[in-house]
PDB file of all heavy atoms in Angstrom:
ATOM      1  N   ALA S 321    -151.251 -27.714  48.801  1.00 98.00           N
ATOM      2  CA  ALA S 321    -152.345 -26.831  49.205  1.00 98.00           C
ATOM      3  C   ALA S 321    -151.808 -25.690  49.946  1.00 98.00           C
ATOM      4  O   ALA S 321    -152.224 -24.518  49.809  1.00 98.00           O
ATOM      5  CB  ALA S 321    -153.378 -27.630  50.014  1.00 98.00           C
ATOM      6  N   ARG S 322    -150.894 -25.894  50.946  1.00 98.00           N
ATOM      7  CA  ARG S 322    -150.295 -24.908  51.651  1.00 98.00           C
ATOM      8  C   ARG S 322    -149.562 -23.867  50.718  1.00 98.00           C
ATOM      9  O   ARG S 322    -149.595 -22.670  50.998  1.00 98.00           O
ATOM     10  CB  ARG S 322    -149.305 -25.507  52.742  1.00 98.00           C
ATOM     11  CG  ARG S 322    -148.354 -24.586  53.430  1.00 98.00           C
ATOM     12  CD  ARG S 322    -147.313 -25.278  54.143  1.00 98.00           C
ATOM     13  NE  ARG S 322    -147.694 -25.837  55.465  1.00 98.00           N
ATOM     14  CZ  ARG S 322    -147.772 -25.232  56.526  1.00 98.00           C
ATOM     15  NH1 ARG S 322    -147.417 -23.967  56.631  1.00 98.00           N
ATOM     16  NH2 ARG S 322    -148.239 -25.880  57.596  1.00 98.00           N
ATOM     17  N   THR S 323    -148.859 -24.378  49.893  1.00 98.00           N
ATOM     18  CA  THR S 323    -147.994 -23.564  48.991  1.00 98.00           C
ATOM     19  C   THR S 323    -148.912 -22.587  48.109  1.00 98.00           C
ATOM     20  O   THR S 323    -148.637 -21.434  47.969  1.00 98.00           O
ATOM     21  CB  THR S 323    -147.169 -24.323  48.087  1.00 98.00           C
ATOM     22  OG1 THR S 323    -146.335 -25.144  48.881  1.00 98.00           O
ATOM     23  CG2 THR S 323    -146.252 -23.467  47.197  1.00 98.00           C
ATOM     24  N   LEU S 324    -150.093 -23.194  47.715  1.00 98.00           N
ATOM     25  CA  LEU S 324    -150.872 -22.332  46.756  1.00 98.00           C
ATOM     26  C   LEU S 324    -151.931 -21.499  47.470  1.00 98.00           C
ATOM     27  O   LEU S 324    -152.640 -20.717  46.763  1.00 98.00           O
ATOM     28  CB  LEU S 324    -151.572 -23.267  45.820  1.00 98.00           C
ATOM     29  CG  LEU S 324    -150.617 -24.123  44.932  1.00 98.00           C
ATOM     30  CD1 LEU S 324    -151.520 -24.989  43.980  1.00 98.00           C
ATOM     31  CD2 LEU S 324    -149.724 -23.108  44.152  1.00 98.00           C
ATOM     32  N   THR S 325    -152.021 -21.670  48.718  1.00 98.00           N
ATOM     33  CA  THR S 325    -153.023 -20.765  49.592  1.00 98.00           C
ATOM     34  C   THR S 325    -152.181 -19.810  50.368  1.00 98.00           C
ATOM     35  O   THR S 325    -150.940 -19.803  50.389  1.00 98.00           O
ATOM     36  CB  THR S 325    -153.937 -21.576  50.446  1.00 98.00           C
ATOM     37  OG1 THR S 325    -153.009 -22.470  51.210  1.00 98.00           O
ATOM     38  CG2 THR S 325    -154.894 -22.396  49.548  1.00 98.00           C
ATOM     39  N   PHE S 326    -152.919 -18.894  51.065  1.00 97.00           N
ATOM     40  CA  PHE S 326    -152.259 -17.758  51.843  1.00 97.00           C
ATOM     41  C   PHE S 326    -151.954 -18.171  53.309  1.00 97.00           C
ATOM     42  O   PHE S 326    -151.005 -17.705  53.908  1.00 97.00           O
ATOM     43  CB  PHE S 326    -152.992 -16.463  51.741  1.00 97.00           C
ATOM     44  CG  PHE S 326    -153.109 -15.984  50.187  1.00 97.00           C
ATOM     45  CD1 PHE S 326    -154.331 -15.392  49.847  1.00 97.00           C
ATOM     46  CD2 PHE S 326    -152.105 -16.105  49.428  1.00 97.00           C
ATOM     47  CE1 PHE S 326    -154.396 -14.905  48.650  1.00 97.00           C
ATOM     48  CE2 PHE S 326    -152.241 -15.717  48.083  1.00 97.00           C
ATOM     49  CZ  PHE S 326    -153.416 -15.056  47.705  1.00 97.00           C
ATOM     50  N   SER S 327    -152.952 -18.793  53.842  1.00 96.00           N
ATOM     51  CA  SER S 327    -153.060 -18.902  55.371  1.00 96.00           C
ATOM     52  C   SER S 327    -152.128 -20.093  55.939  1.00 96.00           C
ATOM     53  O   SER S 327    -152.732 -21.132  56.278  1.00 96.00           O
ATOM     54  CB  SER S 327    -154.432 -19.037  55.834  1.00 96.00           C
ATOM     55  OG  SER S 327    -155.129 -17.831  55.412  1.00 96.00           O
ATOM     56  N   GLY S 328    -150.809 -19.888  55.944  1.00 95.00           N
ATOM     57  CA  GLY S 328    -149.908 -20.915  56.443  1.00 95.00           C
ATOM     58  C   GLY S 328    -150.301 -21.207  57.859  1.00 95.00           C
ATOM     59  O   GLY S 328    -150.192 -22.409  58.352  1.00 95.00           O
ATOM     60  N   ASP S 329    -150.765 -20.230  58.669  1.00 96.00           N
ATOM     61  CA  ASP S 329    -150.917 -20.596  60.106  1.00 96.00           C
ATOM     62  C   ASP S 329    -152.170 -21.527  60.237  1.00 96.00           C
ATOM     63  O   ASP S 329    -152.152 -22.374  61.194  1.00 96.00           O
ATOM     64  CB  ASP S 329    -151.284 -19.242  60.793  1.00 96.00           C
ATOM     65  CG  ASP S 329    -152.457 -18.510  60.238  1.00 96.00           C
ATOM     66  OD1 ASP S 329    -152.683 -18.585  58.979  1.00 96.00           O
ATOM     67  OD2 ASP S 329    -153.277 -17.750  60.947  1.00 96.00           O
ATOM     68  N   MET S 330    -153.085 -21.484  59.289  1.00 97.00           N
ATOM     69  CA  MET S 330    -154.209 -22.440  59.358  1.00 97.00           C
ATOM     70  C   MET S 330    -153.694 -23.877  59.109  1.00 97.00           C
ATOM     71  O   MET S 330    -154.138 -24.817  59.771  1.00 97.00           O
ATOM     72  CB  MET S 330    -155.240 -22.070  58.363  1.00 97.00           C
ATOM     73  CG  MET S 330    -155.965 -20.777  58.748  1.00 97.00           C
ATOM     74  SD  MET S 330    -157.335 -20.449  57.506  1.00 97.00           S
ATOM     75  CE  MET S 330    -158.532 -21.771  57.854  1.00 97.00           C
ATOM     76  N   TRP S 331    -152.673 -23.979  58.160  1.00 98.00           N
ATOM     77  CA  TRP S 331    -152.206 -25.309  57.898  1.00 98.00           C
ATOM     78  C   TRP S 331    -151.255 -25.797  58.999  1.00 98.00           C
ATOM     79  O   TRP S 331    -151.275 -26.961  59.409  1.00 98.00           O
ATOM     80  CB  TRP S 331    -151.440 -25.255  56.560  1.00 98.00           C
ATOM     81  CG  TRP S 331    -152.249 -25.138  55.398  1.00 98.00           C
ATOM     82  CD1 TRP S 331    -152.459 -24.059  54.610  1.00 98.00           C
ATOM     83  CD2 TRP S 331    -153.123 -26.237  54.931  1.00 98.00           C
ATOM     84  NE1 TRP S 331    -153.386 -24.469  53.595  1.00 98.00           N
ATOM     85  CE2 TRP S 331    -153.775 -25.724  53.793  1.00 98.00           C
ATOM     86  CE3 TRP S 331    -153.427 -27.590  55.293  1.00 98.00           C
ATOM     87  CZ2 TRP S 331    -154.740 -26.515  53.082  1.00 98.00           C
ATOM     88  CZ3 TRP S 331    -154.330 -28.233  54.644  1.00 98.00           C
ATOM     89  CH2 TRP S 331    -155.003 -27.755  53.555  1.00 98.00           C
ATOM     90  N   ASP S 332    -150.529 -24.831  59.729  1.00 97.00           N
ATOM     91  CA  ASP S 332    -149.740 -25.290  60.861  1.00 97.00           C
ATOM     92  C   ASP S 332    -150.582 -25.919  61.918  1.00 97.00           C
ATOM     93  O   ASP S 332    -150.241 -27.017  62.312  1.00 97.00           O
ATOM     94  CB  ASP S 332    -149.037 -24.011  61.383  1.00 97.00           C
ATOM     95  CG  ASP S 332    -147.969 -23.407  60.644  1.00 97.00           C
ATOM     96  OD1 ASP S 332    -147.527 -24.050  59.716  1.00 97.00           O
ATOM     97  OD2 ASP S 332    -147.722 -22.212  60.849  1.00 97.00           O
ATOM     98  N   LYS S 333    -151.611 -25.435  62.252  1.00 94.00           N
ATOM     99  CA  LYS S 333    -152.470 -25.929  63.291  1.00 94.00           C
ATOM    100  C   LYS S 333    -153.120 -27.280  62.846  1.00 94.00           C
ATOM    101  O   LYS S 333    -153.087 -28.288  63.560  1.00 94.00           O
ATOM    102  CB  LYS S 333    -153.629 -25.010  63.687  1.00 94.00           C
ATOM    103  CG  LYS S 333    -154.552 -25.431  64.674  1.00 94.00           C
ATOM    104  CD  LYS S 333    -155.619 -24.343  65.073  1.00 94.00           C
ATOM    105  CE  LYS S 333    -156.556 -24.898  66.151  1.00 94.00           C
ATOM    106  NZ  LYS S 333    -157.565 -23.779  66.459  1.00 94.00           N
ATOM    107  N   TYR S 334    -153.665 -27.339  61.623  1.00 98.00           N
ATOM    108  CA  TYR S 334    -154.264 -28.410  61.058  1.00 98.00           C
ATOM    109  C   TYR S 334    -153.239 -29.672  60.928  1.00 98.00           C
ATOM    110  O   TYR S 334    -153.514 -30.821  61.310  1.00 98.00           O
ATOM    111  CB  TYR S 334    -155.008 -28.200  59.802  1.00 98.00           C
ATOM    112  CG  TYR S 334    -155.632 -29.445  59.149  1.00 98.00           C
ATOM    113  CD1 TYR S 334    -156.893 -29.715  59.708  1.00 98.00           C
ATOM    114  CD2 TYR S 334    -155.174 -30.317  58.286  1.00 98.00           C
ATOM    115  CE1 TYR S 334    -157.706 -30.886  59.289  1.00 98.00           C
ATOM    116  CE2 TYR S 334    -155.854 -31.356  57.791  1.00 98.00           C
ATOM    117  CZ  TYR S 334    -157.039 -31.623  58.272  1.00 98.00           C
ATOM    118  OH  TYR S 334    -157.706 -32.754  57.891  1.00 98.00           O
ATOM    119  N   GLU S 335    -152.220 -29.388  60.276  1.00 98.00           N
ATOM    120  CA  GLU S 335    -151.176 -30.500  60.039  1.00 98.00           C
ATOM    121  C   GLU S 335    -150.591 -31.158  61.320  1.00 98.00           C
ATOM    122  O   GLU S 335    -150.381 -32.352  61.357  1.00 98.00           O
ATOM    123  CB  GLU S 335    -150.084 -29.958  59.162  1.00 98.00           C
ATOM    124  CG  GLU S 335    -150.526 -29.765  57.659  1.00 98.00           C
ATOM    125  CD  GLU S 335    -149.236 -29.446  56.896  1.00 98.00           C
ATOM    126  OE1 GLU S 335    -148.688 -28.323  57.052  1.00 98.00           O
ATOM    127  OE2 GLU S 335    -148.918 -30.175  55.929  1.00 98.00           O
ATOM    128  N   LYS S 336    -150.532 -30.304  62.409  1.00 97.00           N
ATOM    129  CA  LYS S 336    -150.028 -30.873  63.662  1.00 97.00           C
ATOM    130  C   LYS S 336    -150.954 -31.946  64.197  1.00 97.00           C
ATOM    131  O   LYS S 336    -150.475 -33.093  64.495  1.00 97.00           O
ATOM    132  CB  LYS S 336    -149.882 -29.703  64.658  1.00 97.00           C
ATOM    133  CG  LYS S 336    -149.439 -30.176  66.060  1.00 97.00           C
ATOM    134  CD  LYS S 336    -149.241 -29.007  67.066  1.00 97.00           C
ATOM    135  CE  LYS S 336    -148.598 -29.352  68.296  1.00 97.00           C
ATOM    136  NZ  LYS S 336    -149.413 -30.379  69.086  1.00 97.00           N
ATOM    137  N   GLY S 337    -152.196 -31.662  64.182  1.00 97.00           N
ATOM    138  CA  GLY S 337    -153.139 -32.706  64.582  1.00 97.00           C
ATOM    139  C   GLY S 337    -153.340 -33.880  63.609  1.00 97.00           C
ATOM    140  O   GLY S 337    -153.404 -34.984  64.025  1.00 97.00           O
ATOM    141  N   LEU S 338    -153.293 -33.572  62.271  1.00 98.00           N
ATOM    142  CA  LEU S 338    -153.372 -34.634  61.291  1.00 98.00           C
ATOM    143  C   LEU S 338    -152.289 -35.595  61.398  1.00 98.00           C
ATOM    144  O   LEU S 338    -152.524 -36.856  61.335  1.00 98.00           O
ATOM    145  CB  LEU S 338    -153.376 -33.973  59.825  1.00 98.00           C
ATOM    146  CG  LEU S 338    -153.432 -34.936  58.714  1.00 98.00           C
ATOM    147  CD1 LEU S 338    -154.723 -35.759  58.615  1.00 98.00           C
ATOM    148  CD2 LEU S 338    -153.180 -34.155  57.359  1.00 98.00           C
ATOM    149  N   PHE S 339    -151.046 -35.076  61.419  1.00 98.00           N
ATOM    150  CA  PHE S 339    -149.901 -36.067  61.349  1.00 98.00           C
ATOM    151  C   PHE S 339    -149.685 -36.785  62.671  1.00 98.00           C
ATOM    152  O   PHE S 339    -149.039 -37.960  62.763  1.00 98.00           O
ATOM    153  CB  PHE S 339    -148.662 -35.421  60.833  1.00 98.00           C
ATOM    154  CG  PHE S 339    -148.823 -35.083  59.370  1.00 98.00           C
ATOM    155  CD1 PHE S 339    -148.762 -33.722  58.979  1.00 98.00           C
ATOM    156  CD2 PHE S 339    -148.968 -36.013  58.395  1.00 98.00           C
ATOM    157  CE1 PHE S 339    -148.952 -33.398  57.584  1.00 98.00           C
ATOM    158  CE2 PHE S 339    -149.053 -35.721  57.046  1.00 98.00           C
ATOM    159  CZ  PHE S 339    -149.071 -34.346  56.602  1.00 98.00           C
ATOM    160  N   GLU S 340    -150.173 -36.256  63.770  1.00 97.00           N
ATOM    161  CA  GLU S 340    -150.192 -37.022  65.030  1.00 97.00           C
ATOM    162  C   GLU S 340    -150.978 -38.291  64.918  1.00 97.00           C
ATOM    163  O   GLU S 340    -150.695 -39.331  65.565  1.00 97.00           O
ATOM    164  CB  GLU S 340    -150.716 -36.123  66.188  1.00 97.00           C
ATOM    165  CG  GLU S 340    -149.632 -35.076  66.615  1.00 97.00           C
ATOM    166  CD  GLU S 340    -150.255 -34.107  67.884  1.00 97.00           C
ATOM    167  OE1 GLU S 340    -151.407 -34.334  68.047  1.00 97.00           O
ATOM    168  OE2 GLU S 340    -149.503 -33.336  68.295  1.00 97.00           O
ATOM    169  N   LYS S 341    -152.109 -38.100  64.154  1.00 97.00           N
ATOM    170  CA  LYS S 341    -152.839 -39.328  63.911  1.00 97.00           C
ATOM    171  C   LYS S 341    -152.154 -40.505  63.264  1.00 97.00           C
ATOM    172  O   LYS S 341    -152.219 -41.602  63.615  1.00 97.00           O
ATOM    173  CB  LYS S 341    -154.269 -39.039  63.128  1.00 97.00           C
ATOM    174  CG  LYS S 341    -155.087 -38.082  63.850  1.00 97.00           C
ATOM    175  CD  LYS S 341    -156.348 -37.665  63.003  1.00 97.00           C
ATOM    176  CE  LYS S 341    -157.239 -36.649  63.662  1.00 97.00           C
ATOM    177  NZ  LYS S 341    -158.386 -36.267  62.806  1.00 97.00           N
ATOM    178  N   TYR S 342    -151.375 -40.103  62.259  1.00 98.00           N
ATOM    179  CA  TYR S 342    -150.586 -41.230  61.560  1.00 98.00           C
ATOM    180  C   TYR S 342    -149.463 -41.625  62.435  1.00 98.00           C
ATOM    181  O   TYR S 342    -149.150 -42.840  62.365  1.00 98.00           O
ATOM    182  CB  TYR S 342    -149.973 -40.518  60.224  1.00 98.00           C
ATOM    183  CG  TYR S 342    -151.013 -40.358  59.223  1.00 98.00           C
ATOM    184  CD1 TYR S 342    -151.685 -39.116  59.034  1.00 98.00           C
ATOM    185  CD2 TYR S 342    -151.355 -41.299  58.320  1.00 98.00           C
ATOM    186  CE1 TYR S 342    -152.598 -38.848  58.124  1.00 98.00           C
ATOM    187  CE2 TYR S 342    -152.282 -41.146  57.359  1.00 98.00           C
ATOM    188  CZ  TYR S 342    -152.962 -39.901  57.203  1.00 98.00           C
ATOM    189  OH  TYR S 342    -153.946 -39.833  56.300  1.00 98.00           O
ATOM    190  N   GLN S 343    -148.869 -40.751  63.299  1.00 96.00           N
ATOM    191  CA  GLN S 343    -147.813 -41.187  64.104  1.00 96.00           C
ATOM    192  C   GLN S 343    -148.327 -42.224  65.129  1.00 96.00           C
ATOM    193  O   GLN S 343    -147.536 -42.990  65.679  1.00 96.00           O
ATOM    194  CB  GLN S 343    -147.202 -39.999  64.905  1.00 96.00           C
ATOM    195  CG  GLN S 343    -146.353 -39.178  64.035  1.00 96.00           C
ATOM    196  CD  GLN S 343    -145.851 -37.904  64.765  1.00 96.00           C
ATOM    197  OE1 GLN S 343    -146.514 -37.284  65.619  1.00 96.00           O
ATOM    198  NE2 GLN S 343    -144.662 -37.448  64.463  1.00 96.00           N
ATOM    199  N   ASN S 344    -149.548 -42.144  65.471  1.00 97.00           N
ATOM    200  CA  ASN S 344    -150.230 -43.143  66.326  1.00 97.00           C
ATOM    201  C   ASN S 344    -150.704 -44.395  65.773  1.00 97.00           C
ATOM    202  O   ASN S 344    -151.482 -45.117  66.355  1.00 97.00           O
ATOM    203  CB  ASN S 344    -151.282 -42.533  67.167  1.00 97.00           C
ATOM    204  CG  ASN S 344    -150.745 -41.383  68.195  1.00 97.00           C
ATOM    205  OD1 ASN S 344    -149.640 -41.425  68.669  1.00 97.00           O
ATOM    206  ND2 ASN S 344    -151.498 -40.350  68.284  1.00 97.00           N
ATOM    207  N   MET S 345    -150.433 -44.690  64.526  1.00 97.00           N
ATOM    208  CA  MET S 345    -150.864 -45.822  63.694  1.00 97.00           C
ATOM    209  C   MET S 345    -149.954 -46.999  63.703  1.00 97.00           C
ATOM    210  O   MET S 345    -150.230 -47.948  63.074  1.00 97.00           O
ATOM    211  CB  MET S 345    -151.279 -45.463  62.263  1.00 97.00           C
ATOM    212  CG  MET S 345    -152.422 -44.480  62.156  1.00 97.00           C
ATOM    213  SD  MET S 345    -152.698 -44.012  60.380  1.00 97.00           S
ATOM    214  CE  MET S 345    -154.099 -42.952  60.741  1.00 97.00           C
ATOM    215  N   GLY S 346    -148.860 -46.876  64.421  1.00 97.00           N
ATOM    216  CA  GLY S 346    -147.970 -48.036  64.487  1.00 97.00           C
ATOM    217  C   GLY S 346    -147.050 -48.046  63.270  1.00 97.00           C
ATOM    218  O   GLY S 346    -146.409 -49.112  62.927  1.00 97.00           O
ATOM    219  N   ILE S 347    -146.903 -46.891  62.628  1.00 98.00           N
ATOM    220  CA  ILE S 347    -145.931 -47.017  61.334  1.00 98.00           C
ATOM    221  C   ILE S 347    -144.556 -46.816  61.936  1.00 98.00           C
ATOM    222  O   ILE S 347    -144.213 -45.902  62.771  1.00 98.00           O
ATOM    223  CB  ILE S 347    -146.254 -45.745  60.529  1.00 98.00           C
ATOM    224  CG1 ILE S 347    -147.709 -45.629  60.136  1.00 98.00           C
ATOM    225  CG2 ILE S 347    -145.389 -45.735  59.333  1.00 98.00           C
ATOM    226  CD1 ILE S 347    -148.201 -44.459  59.305  1.00 98.00           C
ATOM    227  N   PRO S 348    -143.641 -47.657  61.499  1.00 97.00           N
ATOM    228  CA  PRO S 348    -142.255 -47.559  61.940  1.00 97.00           C
ATOM    229  C   PRO S 348    -141.652 -46.220  61.618  1.00 97.00           C
ATOM    230  O   PRO S 348    -141.987 -45.632  60.608  1.00 97.00           O
ATOM    231  CB  PRO S 348    -141.604 -48.644  61.196  1.00 97.00           C
ATOM    232  CG  PRO S 348    -142.528 -49.709  60.851  1.00 97.00           C
ATOM    233  CD  PRO S 348    -143.775 -48.879  60.647  1.00 97.00           C
ATOM    234  N   GLN S 349    -140.831 -45.670  62.565  1.00 97.00           N
ATOM    235  CA  GLN S 349    -140.286 -44.332  62.290  1.00 97.00           C
ATOM    236  C   GLN S 349    -139.620 -44.166  61.032  1.00 97.00           C
ATOM    237  O   GLN S 349    -139.893 -43.079  60.346  1.00 97.00           O
ATOM    238  CB  GLN S 349    -139.425 -43.967  63.394  1.00 97.00           C
ATOM    239  CG  GLN S 349    -138.843 -42.534  63.488  1.00 97.00           C
ATOM    240  CD  GLN S 349    -139.935 -41.469  63.744  1.00 97.00           C
ATOM    241  OE1 GLN S 349    -141.067 -41.822  64.056  1.00 97.00           O
ATOM    242  NE2 GLN S 349    -139.570 -40.217  63.507  1.00 97.00           N
ATOM    243  N   GLU S 350    -138.820 -45.132  60.542  1.00 98.00           N
ATOM    244  CA  GLU S 350    -138.105 -44.930  59.279  1.00 98.00           C
ATOM    245  C   GLU S 350    -139.077 -44.916  58.090  1.00 98.00           C
ATOM    246  O   GLU S 350    -138.879 -44.108  57.113  1.00 98.00           O
ATOM    247  CB  GLU S 350    -137.067 -45.930  59.165  1.00 98.00           C
ATOM    248  CG  GLU S 350    -137.517 -47.382  58.874  1.00 98.00           C
ATOM    249  CD  GLU S 350    -137.796 -48.141  60.267  1.00 98.00           C
ATOM    250  OE1 GLU S 350    -137.834 -47.439  61.340  1.00 98.00           O
ATOM    251  OE2 GLU S 350    -138.004 -49.401  60.202  1.00 98.00           O
ATOM    252  N   VAL S 351    -140.173 -45.813  58.255  1.00 98.00           N
ATOM    253  CA  VAL S 351    -141.210 -45.759  57.179  1.00 98.00           C
ATOM    254  C   VAL S 351    -142.004 -44.450  57.255  1.00 98.00           C
ATOM    255  O   VAL S 351    -142.302 -43.878  56.188  1.00 98.00           O
ATOM    256  CB  VAL S 351    -142.201 -46.986  57.323  1.00 98.00           C
ATOM    257  CG1 VAL S 351    -143.284 -46.898  56.350  1.00 98.00           C
ATOM    258  CG2 VAL S 351    -141.303 -48.300  57.225  1.00 98.00           C
ATOM    259  N   TYR S 352    -142.246 -43.930  58.419  1.00 98.00           N
ATOM    260  CA  TYR S 352    -142.947 -42.702  58.559  1.00 98.00           C
ATOM    261  C   TYR S 352    -142.271 -41.520  57.813  1.00 98.00           C
ATOM    262  O   TYR S 352    -142.747 -40.823  56.982  1.00 98.00           O
ATOM    263  CB  TYR S 352    -143.212 -42.480  60.077  1.00 98.00           C
ATOM    264  CG  TYR S 352    -144.011 -41.054  60.288  1.00 98.00           C
ATOM    265  CD1 TYR S 352    -145.330 -41.050  60.356  1.00 98.00           C
ATOM    266  CD2 TYR S 352    -143.297 -39.957  60.555  1.00 98.00           C
ATOM    267  CE1 TYR S 352    -146.055 -39.961  60.676  1.00 98.00           C
ATOM    268  CE2 TYR S 352    -143.950 -38.783  60.867  1.00 98.00           C
ATOM    269  CZ  TYR S 352    -145.258 -38.750  60.832  1.00 98.00           C
ATOM    270  OH  TYR S 352    -146.009 -37.566  61.164  1.00 98.00           O
ATOM    271  N   GLU S 353    -141.008 -41.384  58.258  1.00 98.00           N
ATOM    272  CA  GLU S 353    -140.233 -40.340  57.598  1.00 98.00           C
ATOM    273  C   GLU S 353    -139.961 -40.484  56.151  1.00 98.00           C
ATOM    274  O   GLU S 353    -139.972 -39.492  55.317  1.00 98.00           O
ATOM    275  CB  GLU S 353    -138.911 -40.216  58.389  1.00 98.00           C
ATOM    276  CG  GLU S 353    -139.046 -39.864  59.866  1.00 98.00           C
ATOM    277  CD  GLU S 353    -137.695 -39.878  60.612  1.00 98.00           C
ATOM    278  OE1 GLU S 353    -136.651 -40.268  60.008  1.00 98.00           O
ATOM    279  OE2 GLU S 353    -137.658 -39.478  61.809  1.00 98.00           O
ATOM    280  N   ARG S 354    -139.676 -41.610  55.755  1.00 98.00           N
ATOM    281  CA  ARG S 354    -139.564 -41.935  54.386  1.00 98.00           C
ATOM    282  C   ARG S 354    -140.798 -41.569  53.515  1.00 98.00           C
ATOM    283  O   ARG S 354    -140.780 -41.065  52.399  1.00 98.00           O
ATOM    284  CB  ARG S 354    -139.139 -43.386  54.097  1.00 98.00           C
ATOM    285  CG  ARG S 354    -138.751 -43.793  52.632  1.00 98.00           C
ATOM    286  CD  ARG S 354    -138.557 -45.306  52.578  1.00 98.00           C
ATOM    287  NE  ARG S 354    -137.427 -45.727  53.377  1.00 98.00           N
ATOM    288  CZ  ARG S 354    -137.575 -46.682  54.331  1.00 98.00           C
ATOM    289  NH1 ARG S 354    -138.797 -47.360  54.468  1.00 98.00           N
ATOM    290  NH2 ARG S 354    -136.606 -46.959  55.080  1.00 98.00           N
ATOM    291  N   SER S 355    -141.960 -41.986  54.020  1.00 98.00           N
ATOM    292  CA  SER S 355    -143.132 -41.689  53.352  1.00 98.00           C
ATOM    293  C   SER S 355    -143.420 -40.110  53.258  1.00 98.00           C
ATOM    294  O   SER S 355    -143.917 -39.583  52.157  1.00 98.00           O
ATOM    295  CB  SER S 355    -144.350 -42.324  54.096  1.00 98.00           C
ATOM    296  OG  SER S 355    -144.220 -43.737  54.239  1.00 98.00           O
ATOM    297  N   LEU S 356    -143.218 -39.435  54.416  1.00 98.00           N
ATOM    298  CA  LEU S 356    -143.339 -37.903  54.266  1.00 98.00           C
ATOM    299  C   LEU S 356    -142.321 -37.383  53.201  1.00 98.00           C
ATOM    300  O   LEU S 356    -142.725 -36.458  52.431  1.00 98.00           O
ATOM    301  CB  LEU S 356    -143.088 -37.321  55.645  1.00 98.00           C
ATOM    302  CG  LEU S 356    -144.055 -37.545  56.790  1.00 98.00           C
ATOM    303  CD1 LEU S 356    -143.521 -36.864  58.032  1.00 98.00           C
ATOM    304  CD2 LEU S 356    -145.334 -37.169  56.386  1.00 98.00           C
ATOM    305  N   THR S 357    -141.109 -37.838  53.083  1.00 98.00           N
ATOM    306  CA  THR S 357    -140.112 -37.419  52.183  1.00 98.00           C
ATOM    307  C   THR S 357    -140.584 -37.683  50.711  1.00 98.00           C
ATOM    308  O   THR S 357    -140.461 -36.853  49.876  1.00 98.00           O
ATOM    309  CB  THR S 357    -138.745 -38.118  52.412  1.00 98.00           C
ATOM    310  OG1 THR S 357    -138.324 -37.766  53.698  1.00 98.00           O
ATOM    311  CG2 THR S 357    -137.685 -37.635  51.452  1.00 98.00           C
ATOM    312  N   TYR S 358    -141.171 -38.903  50.523  1.00 98.00           N
ATOM    313  CA  TYR S 358    -141.751 -39.121  49.223  1.00 98.00           C
ATOM    314  C   TYR S 358    -142.823 -38.319  48.782  1.00 98.00           C
ATOM    315  O   TYR S 358    -142.890 -37.713  47.722  1.00 98.00           O
ATOM    316  CB  TYR S 358    -142.055 -40.681  49.159  1.00 98.00           C
ATOM    317  CG  TYR S 358    -142.607 -41.042  47.672  1.00 98.00           C
ATOM    318  CD1 TYR S 358    -141.799 -40.918  46.625  1.00 98.00           C
ATOM    319  CD2 TYR S 358    -143.964 -41.287  47.565  1.00 98.00           C
ATOM    320  CE1 TYR S 358    -142.208 -41.149  45.369  1.00 98.00           C
ATOM    321  CE2 TYR S 358    -144.489 -41.659  46.304  1.00 98.00           C
ATOM    322  CZ  TYR S 358    -143.602 -41.545  45.193  1.00 98.00           C
ATOM    323  OH  TYR S 358    -144.032 -41.768  43.969  1.00 98.00           O
ATOM    324  N   GLY S 359    -143.706 -38.036  49.803  1.00 98.00           N
ATOM    325  CA  GLY S 359    -144.930 -37.147  49.519  1.00 98.00           C
ATOM    326  C   GLY S 359    -144.440 -35.757  49.125  1.00 98.00           C
ATOM    327  O   GLY S 359    -144.942 -35.139  48.203  1.00 98.00           O
TER     328      GLY S 359
END
């Protein structure tokens, strides 16, 4: 979505809050990073 739209600044702000929610879910760090890489 970020790549195909223009407003990267809107995604910067949104993704910061979005992924903080996942970081607070108790996902092990290596699983968290591996999942982002796979995505």
Side-chain angles (χ1 to χ4, degrees):
R322 169 192 284 272
T323 303
L324 298 182
T325 54
F326 299 144
S327 299
D329 57 328
M330 291 181 69
W331 287 110
D332 289 340
K333 180 179 179 181
Y334 182 79
E335 285 185 295
K336 183 178 184 296
L338 174 66
F339 292 115
E340 281 179 358
K341 294 177 182 178
Y342 287 94
Q343 286 176 327
N344 293 325
M345 289 180 183
I347 305 171
Q349 182 66 9
E350 68 274 13
V351 175
Y352 179 86
E353 293 177 356
R354 184 184 303 124
S355 301
L356 292 181
T357 299
Y358 180 63

